[in-house]
């Protein structure tokens, strides 16, 4: 049996509990993991002066694969999000978020099976901002007006939205390669090219160019983002693999999660050419931390994605089947899951839910 070394960032808040649950389930699947534990989050600031210590980043670079629990982003301190910092530092240009209905999870639909592919490095999340009233902001406003590009109110803050040819080609090519490798049928590119001609317009142009290279295999279409959201809510079954610029992908992935039961079920991965970091989509929920109430499903399903990445596809499939079985039986579900019947069982603790999964895998 192959032994894998994986960096584990437990996180904080409920991350400590969901990470421990994930480890139990992975162990029950039979995969041999050597967990290299590293830290990140607000709790690291006093000791390291940053929520993302250098040794954590270096460990991911060394071992190539990591999984993290939710971490708290400091508020009002000037420190940026750990998630954003990891993506930028390690050039994890793909944010991959599969969304699938789980019977018994209280979702609005029972036939959702789609994959969101989100560009991770640019767009409005590039962090290029100009503060209201600052001198460089005034200079930028003057430059824009001088070049006939429009008039901006002097009391504005400004964010820059870069969309590049290279990043767009990379993310759309990944979407097509993922579709081909996973027997998917269609890729949809989502944009607002009718309004933002030189950013979203570039994204659409390059997406169409990449799609031409894959003609005869994977189908391709595109949707304007507002129309996409309406269509997603009305009938998500019409979508398969969907590729987005950064901001739209972030919003749409939460929308899609809401259709199948919420963020507690939403796994994710950040993937680059050398490293991959797997994570639950939801936050650290400090209000319920330490109370044994957290739902570890998202992190457990993220671990299943990680096992696929490591070549342990049989174990990954067994974990997903165990999750479906526990939800279908409905006897050990945490309190965040919407129950369709008043006679449904009382909420289970994080521990009870995890033990039910382990029993299914035994």
């Amino acid at each position: 049996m192959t032994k894998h070394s994986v960096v584990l960032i437990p996180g904080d808040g409920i991350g400590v509990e969901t990470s421990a649950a994930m480890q139990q389930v992975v162990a029950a699947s039979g995969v041999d993991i050597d967990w290299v534990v590293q830290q990140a989050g607000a709790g690291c600031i006093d000791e390291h002066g940053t929520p993302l210590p250098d040794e954590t980043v270096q460990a991911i670079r060394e071992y190539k694969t990591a999984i993290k629990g939710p971490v708290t982003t400091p508020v009002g301190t000037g420190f940026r999000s750990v998630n954003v910092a990891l993506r930028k530092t390690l050039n994890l240009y793909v944010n991959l978020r599969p969304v699938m209905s789980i019977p018994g999870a209280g979702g609005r639909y029972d036939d959702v099976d789609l994959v969101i592919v989100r560009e991770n490095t640019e767009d409005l999340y590039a962090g290029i901002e100009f503060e209201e009233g600052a001198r460089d902001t005034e200079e930028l406003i003057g430059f824009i007006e001088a070049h006939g590009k429009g008039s901006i109110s002097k009391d504005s803050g400004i964010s820059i939205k870069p969309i590049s040819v290279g990043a767009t080609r990379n993310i759309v090519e990944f979407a097509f390669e993922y579709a081909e490798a996973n027997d998917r049928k269609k890729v949809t590119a989502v944009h607002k090219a009718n309004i933002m001609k030189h950013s979203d317009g570039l994204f659409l142009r390059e997406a169409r160019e990449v799609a031409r290279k894959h003609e005869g295999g994977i189908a391709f279409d595109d949707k304007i983002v507002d129309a996409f959201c309406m269509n997603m809510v009305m009938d998500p079954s019409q979508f398969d693999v969907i590729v987005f610029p950064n901001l739209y992908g972030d919003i749409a992935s939460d929308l899609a999660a809401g259709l199948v039961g919420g963020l507690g079920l939403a796994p994710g991965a950040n993937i680059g050419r050398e490293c991959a970091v797997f994570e639950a989509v939801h936050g650290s929920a400090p209000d319920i931390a330490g109370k044994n109430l957290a739902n570890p499903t998202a992190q457990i399903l993220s671990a299943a994605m990680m096992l696929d990445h490591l070549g342990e596809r049989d174990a990954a499939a067994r974990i997903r089947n165990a999750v479906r079985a526990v939800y279908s039986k409905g006897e050990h579900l945490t309190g965040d899951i919407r129950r369709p019947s008043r006679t449904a069982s009382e909420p289970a603790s994080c521990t009870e839910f995890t033990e039910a999964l382990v029993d299914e895998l035994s």
Side-chain angles (χ1 to χ4, degrees), residues 1 8 14 67 103-104 117 120 124 135 170 180 189-190 194 222-223 227 257 275 279 297 307 315 322 335:
M1 179 183 294
L8 170 62
I14 62 171
I67 186 166
V117 179
N120 231 0
L124 286 169
R135 183 172 179 176
N170 285 341
E180 290 165 350
V190 177
N194 57 324
D222 68 87
K223 294 284 186 184
C275 302
E279 63 178 357
T297 301
L307 294 180

Side-chain angles (χ1 to χ4, degrees), residues 15-245:
V16 176
E17 298 160 72
T18 60
S19 293
M22 177 275 298
Q23 288 177 278
Q24 285 182 256
V25 171
V26 170
S29 76
V31 179
D32 190 4
I33 302 285
D34 177 22
W35 300 104
V36 182
V37 179
Q38 297 290 328
Q39 301 299 325
C44 294
I45 294 176
D46 288 344
E47 181 178 353
H48 298 277
T50 172
L52 183 59
D54 288 343
E55 49 261 49
T56 299
V57 176
Q58 290 305 318
I60 298 172
R61 285 198 171 111
E62 178 179 354
Y63 294 102
K64 309 301 184 187
T65 304
I67 186 166
K68 59 178 285 296
V71 299
T72 302
T73 298
V75 177
T77 65
F79 290 103
R80 60 181 174 169
S81 160
V82 168
N83 294 337
V84 173
L86 278 172
R87 293 166 189 168
K88 287 184 173 293
T89 303
L90 299 170
N91 193 26
L92 305 175
Y93 68 98
V94 178
N95 186 218
L96 185 65
R97 295 182 176 180
V99 182
M100 182 177 291
S101 296
I102 300 175
R108 271 63 179 173
Y109 297 89
D110 58 11
D111 60 349
V112 178
D113 181 10
L114 56 87
V115 179
I116 287 174
V117 179
R118 167 191 170 199
E119 202 289 319
N120 231 0
T121 65
E122 51 182 23
D123 193 4
L124 286 169
Y125 284 20
I128 306 171
E129 295 194 292
F130 294 81
E131 185 179 4
E132 179 271 322
R135 183 172 179 176
D136 56 356
T137 309
E138 295 174 0
E139 292 173 353
L140 178 61
I141 291 172
F143 176 88
I144 291 169
E145 292 178 352
H147 285 76
K149 295 299 182 180
S151 177
I152 298 177
S153 174
K154 305 297 183 186
D155 60 352
S156 297
I158 300 173
S159 295
I160 303 296
K161 177 189 170 89
I163 300 284
S164 70
V165 170
T168 300
R169 288 179 178 171
N170 285 341
I171 198 65
V172 179
E173 189 64 51
F174 180 94
F176 274 95
E177 290 174 357
Y178 181 94
E180 290 165 350
N182 292 276
D183 197 29
R184 296 281 177 163
K185 306 303 181 187
K186 182 176 73 171
V187 171
T188 300
V190 177
H191 58 89
K192 192 67 175 174
N194 57 324
I195 303 297
M196 287 170 276
K197 310 289 188 182
H198 301 303
S199 53
D200 286 35
L202 182 152
F203 182 87
L204 177 59
R205 183 189 75 215
E206 296 302 322
R208 287 173 171 170
E209 186 64 29
V210 172
R212 277 190 280 272
K213 294 166 51 182
H214 296 267
E215 284 181 345
I218 304 298
F220 174 78
D221 66 358
D222 68 87
K223 294 284 186 184
I224 294 173
V225 63
D226 41 340
F228 162 79
C229 290
M230 180 191 69
N231 279 276
M232 172 73 97
V233 171
M234 292 181 67
D235 179 16
S237 68
Q238 65 189 286
F239 297 107
D240 194 352
V241 176
I242 319 162
V243 61
F244 299 85

